[in-house]
Amino acid sequence: MRLTALFTIPRVLRHSDAIGADLPPDEAVVLDAADPSLRAALTAAAAGDHAPAAELLAATREHAQWERRDACVSGLARASLHHPGWLDSWLEESPEDPDAVLVKADQYVYQAWKIRTGARARHVEHDQFQAFHALLRDAVPVISAAAELNPDDPVPWRIALTQARGIQAPREVFHSYLAEANDRDPHHEGCHVQALQYLCRKWYGSHEEMFAFAEEAADQAPPGSKLHALPLQAVVEYLISDDEVDEPDLYTPRTEAAVTRAQALSDAYAPGDREAAGFRNHLALVLWSMNRYEEALAAFRSIGVHATTFPWTYFGDARAEFLEARSDTRVELAMKVPFFRPSPKPPAGDTPAWEQEQAPRSVAIAATGPAEVAQAALICGHSLRTAPAGNSHTYVEIVPDPVRGTRAALLPEDPLTSAADNFTTGEDWPALVLHRTPERSSFALLHRGRKVASHSWETAAPAVDHAEATSTAAALARTYGLPDPRPLAHILRAAGDPARHQSALVAALGLPPLPPGYGGDQEVLAALPGARVLARRGFLAGMRDTMTTKDGVHPGTPAPAAPHPARWWILRALGLLVFTAAAVYAWWTPDIGWFRSAAATFVALYFAAKLRRALRHRRVSSSRPPATS
């Protein structure tokens, strides 16, 4: 570690919690979030009903909503890979339906690419290539049928461009497909993105050809078109190439121009707009890689909860890479703020309604009684509310503190998982932490202070790998003493309705049902019988209560201290000023020994601690907490 990095650690600890505090929490971030109508179609499809999907695609065809149609077809095609029954029955019922045939064509291409994977050619096995090309050849008549059944639709030609790239089609075939797409919609984003992939250096073109194509498309695009961000996608392809860059980099001016153009386009969309998520994710990645962290934070802020698979999947797990880049941006900005300067505040403005709706609802189910949870949670660093759940379990939720504790600021971003990690340490009983948003549900199993298993369901996400689901199910079964993990694995591999699958898992584990109101309100335990608030303790106070509170007694909420008179504040403020000045003078003057300098410093710190404690002493919540036993 460099010596300069050591000096920045205090800055990070002080400021990183405040920088980007208005960003949605990690648990709220969803990959490729579907809009409500597509979400409903995906949920119905997972249950075997194709009617909502047919109705949705028919509407996009009748109203010539080609961009929306492309996104819906892609989502339905990916979903059909794991739940093909609904698409097969749709085709049996209406074999000439242009919408069903189009989804089937896209399914062929997605399935082929899943077999090949996104790895470079040198890392793909021969058998994978054979299966990949066989599926792409089988897709040809289906793509042709989709194009013939709806001649005005550009989406079949987007699929054809993807298929042409996979089978190494010659240039004349590529140009003929692109011409067909442009005849139907000259500014269709999906077709241009696939054409750019064909022309990039890792496939069949060059950096120059790729940039020229993207810039020409952007120059010809109408105002507000997402094609204005196409050069930014060319920048990403250039950045991830393995080429050694000479200095000066000839593409730096074009990169700067692409970023400026994309920022102007982003400003035309509302914060958190799902339609702008694709190019905004590219923008955040490029700004972050260029060390332009202030602008990158603004881009992450505009993205909100809508992470996208591309471009983050180039570097690993897309959602994890997005969250890591966002966290790194906050840390880098915190390192630049002087320690004694106040932490930067988020831009003024009310929290958008979309962000409030997407905020995760969280609750934990601990496999023990409330008194045991209270004893174990004394030094967890958060204020908690507990409520009995049956005879042998406890519901737990976070009670927001007016001022975050120091330890809470240093713990991971999700407070309930951090608290469960703490209060299960050294205990024999586990805690299942559950999170839910409109598009994502997840859980984390904490036992003996470590995360044993975790899983998430997303509306538009495919089912997890069988081996991964089996491993997670086995860990759950061992922890809860279940003889057969197979029913759990079946629930983990389900897709389409995250909230239902989460509730089904809780029931399969033999746990109490989720509390009423969970998923709607932020705090749902206050109305339950026996609910209690466990106020956040300081570390030393928590240790004291741990050693002095009798077993089986829920520690009471500390009573608020009486307000201090004005004289108290004046005397301690004066004491702080006098001894701070004395300490500075003592350390500055070589004639004064270290003992007196240290003594003045300690007295100044004492007054500072007293004032800080008095300033931070607040009630746990705005409402009066329930009486404690």
Side-chain angles (χ1 to χ4, degrees):
M1 180 183 291
R2 292 179 301 173
L3 185 60
T4 54
L6 292 174
F7 290 110
T8 60
I9 290 176
R11 299 182 182 182
V12 173
L13 296 178
R14 172 168 164 75
H15 299 299
S16 60
D17 190 52
I19 293 176
D22 57 331
L23 293 173
D26 288 359
E27 283 297 329
V29 173
V30 182
L31 271 183
D32 306 319
D35 62 36
S37 56
L38 177 57
R39 189 191 314 156
L42 291 169
T43 301
D49 182 11
H50 65 267
E55 183 179 348
L56 173 63
L57 292 185
T60 62
R61 172 166 43 87
E62 292 168 5
H63 298 288
Q65 297 172 327
W66 305 129
E67 297 285 3
R68 174 165 164 70
R69 179 177 177 82
D70 199 349
C72 293
V73 167
S74 296
L76 290 166
R78 287 196 298 269
S80 69
L81 292 179
H82 300 278
H83 299 87
W86 64 273
L87 181 57
D88 294 339
S89 63
W90 187 6
L91 287 167
E92 289 176 7
E93 181 182 306
S94 307
E96 300 296 317
D97 189 314
D99 304 322
V101 175
L102 185 61
V103 175
K104 185 64 177 180
D106 214 12
Q107 183 202 59
Y108 269 111
V109 175
Y110 273 115
Q111 188 173 10
W113 232 269
K114 185 177 181 181
I115 292 172
R116 183 202 181 278
T117 74
R120 296 295 178 96
R122 60 180 176 270
H123 301 305
V124 181
E125 300 292 336
H126 177 68
D127 292 345
Q128 289 177 277
F129 267 126
Q130 284 188 319
F132 174 63
H133 289 131
L135 276 171
L136 290 180
R137 286 193 296 270
D138 293 343
V140 172
V142 186
I143 297 172
S144 300
E148 292 171 1
L149 289 170
N150 191 19
D152 296 331
D153 190 354
V155 180
W157 298 102
R158 187 269 297 166
I159 302 172
L161 285 165
T162 311
Q163 189 263 359
R165 174 161 54 92
I167 63 171
Q168 303 176 357
R171 280 299 182 100
E172 53 268 23
V173 173
F174 163 75
H175 285 298
S176 66
Y177 287 173
L178 183 58
E180 294 284 358
N182 287 334
D183 287 343
R184 288 155 177 80
D185 186 353
H187 307 297
H188 188 271
E189 183 193 21
C191 293
H192 282 80
V193 168
Q194 292 304 317
L196 183 141
Q197 286 292 315
Y198 186 98
L199 295 172
C200 70
R201 186 165 182 170
K202 70 182 181 185
W203 288 100
Y204 313 115
S206 64
H207 295 324
E208 179 59 37
E209 192 173 13
M210 173 184 67
F211 271 103
F213 172 78
E215 289 163 355
E216 181 182 0
D219 291 338
Q220 296 175 356
S225 169
K226 287 184 283 187
L227 287 183
H228 287 288
L230 193 63
L232 192 69
Q233 298 199 29
V235 171
V236 172
E237 295 297 333
Y238 173 65
L239 292 176
I240 66 172
S241 65
D242 296 332
D243 303 338
E244 293 185 5
V245 179
D246 298 329
E247 293 294 342
D249 186 353
L250 299 178
Y251 292 97
T252 297
R254 301 173 91 158
T255 298
E256 296 285 351
V259 168
T260 301
R261 194 194 295 252
Q263 286 175 319
L265 179 63
S266 179
D267 291 341
Y269 286 83
D273 194 317
R274 185 184 285 104
E275 296 297 321
F279 71 82
R280 278 175 169 166
N281 275 261
H282 282 80
L283 179 61
L285 171 64
V286 172
L287 291 169
W288 173 70
S289 66
M290 297 170 67
N291 301 332
R292 293 164 60 171
Y293 297 114
E294 290 276 2
E295 296 165 280
L297 182 63
F300 282 117
R301 194 174 280 126
S302 67
I303 291 169
V305 299
H306 298 302
T308 55
T309 299
F310 289 96
W312 306 103
T313 192
Y314 285 138
F315 309 98
D317 179 81
R319 187 173 180 274
E321 294 294 334
F322 171 88
L323 295 175
E324 184 176 347
R326 194 176 70 161
S327 176
D328 182 66
T329 299
R330 298 174 65 176
V331 170
E332 291 288 344
L333 289 173
M335 291 169 61
K336 298 178 180 179
V337 182
F339 182 81
F340 292 104
R341 182 176 296 177
S343 299
K345 295 183 179 179
D350 296 332
T351 303
W354 60 267
E355 186 174 320
Q356 295 174 0
E357 294 170 1
Q358 293 287 353
R361 275 51 172 169
S362 306
V363 70
I365 304 177
T368 190
E372 288 76 13
V373 173
Q375 279 293 122
L378 283 170
I379 57 173
C380 72
H382 296 278
S383 295
L384 304 176
R385 180 180 286 111
T386 64
N391 296 324
S392 58
H393 291 79
T394 304
Y395 295 125
V396 186
E397 69 181 4
I398 291 291
V399 179
D401 287 307
V403 180
R404 272 190 95 183
T406 303
R407 283 179 295 136
L410 302 179
L411 293 171
E413 196 166 51
D414 171 49
L416 188 55
T417 303
S418 301
D421 190 339
N422 182 287
F423 65 64
T424 58
T425 299
E427 305 292 343
D428 292 332
W429 40 266
L432 190 71
V433 182
L434 303 156
H435 302 284
R436 181 179 293 181
T437 71
E439 298 179 15
R440 185 174 188 268
S441 294
S442 64
F443 73 82
L445 175 62
L446 284 302
H447 191 206
R448 297 183 183 276
R450 65 184 185 90
K451 186 180 291 187
V452 177
S454 61
H455 181 76
S456 64
W457 298 268
E458 295 185 16
T459 304
V464 300
D465 180 73
H466 183 269
E468 180 183 345
T470 302
S471 175
T472 304
L476 289 167
R478 283 194 305 271
T479 303
Y480 288 99
L482 301 179
D484 187 4
R486 288 175 294 180
L488 302 178
H490 177 73
I491 296 172
L492 295 175
R493 297 203 74 229
D497 192 346
R500 181 168 62 85
H501 305 324
Q502 187 187 58
S503 299
L505 179 74
V506 171
L509 292 174
L511 299 176
L514 293 170
Y518 171 65
D521 298 328
Q522 287 283 8
E523 298 179 55
V524 296
L525 302 184
L528 296 184
R532 297 288 186 270
V533 172
L534 176 61
R536 169 170 59 86
R537 260 74 166 174
F539 182 78
L540 295 178
M543 291 295 295
R544 179 198 63 209
D545 290 345
T546 301
M547 293 183 288
T548 58
T549 304
K550 296 181 180 179
D551 292 339
V553 177
H554 195 298
T557 302
H564 295 292
R567 180 183 176 186
W568 187 95
W569 290 98
I570 294 172
L571 290 177
R572 279 149 185 80
L574 287 175
L576 176 62
L577 291 175
V578 170
F579 282 99
T580 299
V584 171
Y585 177 77
W587 288 111
W588 186 266
T589 305
D591 296 335
I592 299 178
W594 67 268
F595 179 80
R596 284 182 289 179
S597 302
T601 303
F602 286 137
V603 174
L605 290 174
Y606 168 79
F607 281 116
K610 295 290 286 184
L611 289 168
R612 180 175 179 271
R613 183 179 179 183
L615 287 170
R616 292 173 64 90
H617 193 78
R618 298 289 187 271
R619 284 187 181 273
V620 172
S621 62
S622 57
S623 59
R624 185 178 182 84
T628 57
S629 61

